[in-house]
């Protein structure tokens, strides 16, 4: 079972998160911290205790905007440890998903936290923290309706997603599928799987980008045979991610 430390400087939000975590049967323990100093002290004790010690922590659920050190700052410090705990960001802000992905966060959960969304984050954590105990993970799939028949498309087969009102069109090598899920929901759900927002209308699997092109102040990417516009808001972060991916 998973051992959790939740960090949030807003006490009501922290108490609500702890309540939801403790209600999950896969969570062995869930403790809270209200600032970075307390959180780092608690993580230090966990590392000294080792993975089998009473103070061990498997995952830290981190708010991003906090007084003093932010959740991103804490995650960077944790990353320098020899055996760091896993990280899940819990935040009211969508704009830090790219940085969370760069810090190898397991998941990125938006506030207000929904029970079923938190349960999905715990599932991902458990598969990484307890691979021997977790069931063999099949590739994540998304159901699509086609002519009255429900089919399942593997998320790993999706190259990019296009917003169409309250719907989203999933583009794969073998065609496209329309699902009744807003693009913002898929952005949150798949951030840890390497999907990045490049435009208000497009979400792209970073690994599927074949080419980044700059032409007269306009940025585009080529994903297979598709050429997609990149908004100015996302262009610099996208270039940085692609460069880090190439170096890695």
């Amino acid at each position: 079972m998973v051992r959790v430390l939740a960090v949030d400087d807003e006490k009501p939000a922290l108490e609500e998160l702890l309540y939801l975590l403790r209600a999950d049967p896969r969570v062995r323990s869930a403790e809270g911290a209200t600032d970075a100093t307390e959180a780092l002290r608690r993580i230090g004790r966990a590392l000294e205790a080792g993975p089998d010690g009473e103070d061990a922590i498997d995952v830290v659920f981190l708010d991003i905007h906090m007084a003093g050190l932010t959740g991103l700052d804490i995650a960077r410090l944790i990353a320098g440890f020899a055996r760091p705990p896993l990280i899940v960001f819990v935040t009211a802000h969508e704009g830090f998903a790219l940085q969370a992905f760069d810090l190898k966060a397991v998941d990125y959960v938006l506030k207000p936290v929904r029970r079923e969304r938190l349960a999905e984050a715990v599932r991902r954590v458990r598969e990484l923290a307890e691979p021997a105990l977790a069931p063999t993970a099949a590739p994540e799939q998304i159901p699509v309706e086609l002519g009255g028949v429900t089919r399942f498309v593997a998320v790993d087969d999706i190259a990019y997603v296009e917003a169409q009102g309250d719907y989203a069109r999933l583009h794969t090598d073998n065609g496209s599928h329309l699902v009744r899920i807003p693009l913002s929901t898929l952005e949150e759900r798949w951030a840890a799987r390497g999907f990045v927002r490049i435009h208000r209308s497009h979400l792209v699997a970073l690994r599927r980008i074949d080419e980044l092109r700059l032409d007269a102040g306009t940025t585009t990417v080529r994903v297979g045979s598709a050429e997609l516009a990149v908004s100015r808001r996302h262009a610099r972060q996208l270039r940085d991610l692609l460069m880090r991916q190439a170096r890695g």
Side-chain angles (χ1 to χ4, degrees), residues 84-99:
L86 302 172
I87 296 293
V88 172
F89 286 107
V90 183
T91 177
H93 304 275
E94 297 181 8
F96 296 96
L98 291 178
Q99 294 179 61

Side-chain angles (χ1 to χ4, degrees), residues 115-126:
R115 185 185 299 271
E116 60 274 18
R117 181 65 184 86
L118 189 64
E120 170 64 16
V122 172
R123 181 191 68 77
R124 294 179 181 180
V125 167
R126 186 170 182 265

Side-chain angles (χ1 to χ4, degrees), residues 208-222:
R208 299 294 294 271
I209 294 176
D210 300 311
E211 181 179 271
L212 176 70
R213 179 176 297 177
L214 305 176
D215 185 13
T218 300
T219 304
T220 59
V221 292
R222 184 172 58 81

Side-chain angles (χ1 to χ4, degrees), residues 4-46:
V4 179
L5 175 66
V7 186
D8 196 317
D9 63 351
E10 295 182 0
K11 191 173 181 180
L14 178 61
E15 290 177 348
E16 174 68 13
L17 179 58
L18 288 172
Y19 172 79
L20 293 174
L21 286 166
R22 288 165 180 163
D24 192 311
R26 297 164 298 183
V27 174
R28 175 178 173 180
S29 63
E31 300 180 17
T34 56
D35 59 50
T37 300
E38 183 182 359
L40 290 171
R41 185 183 301 119
R42 178 67 185 82
I43 294 166
R45 289 207 311 270

Side-chain angles (χ1 to χ4, degrees), residues 114-187:
R114 295 178 288 112
R115 185 185 299 271
E116 60 274 18
R117 181 65 184 86
L118 189 64
E120 170 64 16
V122 172
R123 181 191 68 77
R124 294 179 181 180
V125 167
R126 186 170 182 265
E127 289 179 355
L128 292 171
E130 300 180 329
L133 298 179
T136 301
E140 184 178 343
Q141 297 178 317
I142 184 169
V144 299
E145 297 290 334
L146 186 63
V149 177
T150 301
R151 295 185 179 178
F152 295 89
V153 175
V155 174
D156 289 343
D157 291 340
I158 298 169
Y160 68 96
V161 186
E162 179 183 4
Q164 295 189 351
D166 292 333
Y167 291 75
R169 183 167 293 279
L170 314 176
H171 292 266
T172 72
D173 294 337
N174 299 317
S176 66
H177 309 275
L178 195 64
V179 294
R180 193 170 185 175
I181 305 175
L183 194 68
S184 57
T185 299
L186 295 178
E187 178 184 9

